Amino acid sequence: SMKEKRRHRRVSAQGIAAYLQVDDMSASAIIENISAGGIFIRTARPMLRDTPVQLNLARPGMRKPLLIGGMVVSTIDQETAAQ
């Protein structure tokens, strides 16, 4: 199963708002969970593997958003995510 392949424990990320920037496109994103190995985010449009992305993370009480750079390492479509 997927869980057995994970090296890092994932935690829920409720209350964290994310803003995703890819090339010249930016949109809000929903963070499903976070682990030391990565972040699983839900986006309105499909993304390609190996696409560089930037995430702005904000949480109530934070003085300024946290800016994180990363890369898309895997994707799942809506049907697979719903299972």
Side-chain angles (χ1 to χ4, degrees):
S1 78
M2 287 290 274
K3 279 197 164 120
E4 291 159 7
K5 292 182 190 171
R6 301 206 193 288
R7 282 183 298 186
H8 305 289
R9 192 168 68 87
R10 289 179 177 257
V11 296
S12 170
Q14 292 176 337
I16 299 178
Y19 210 67
L20 182 67
Q21 292 179 271
V22 184
D23 298 325
D24 55 355
M25 187 274 295
S26 60
S28 60
I30 298 170
I31 298 180
E32 293 289 337
N33 58 54
I34 298 176
S35 78
I39 301 175
F40 177 35
I41 58 174
R42 184 182 300 266
T43 59
R45 66 178 236 194
M47 302 195 59
L48 297 173
R49 282 184 58 169
D50 301 326
T51 302
V53 297
Q54 282 203 309
L55 265 182
N56 281 295
L57 303 181
R59 187 175 188 175
M62 283 176 70
R63 280 198 207 125
K64 58 183 183 177
L66 181 64
L67 184 63
I68 298 173
M71 186 167 292
V72 177
V73 294
S74 66
T75 63
I76 59 173
D77 61 27
Q78 210 165 0
E79 291 75 30
T80 307
Q83 293 174 3

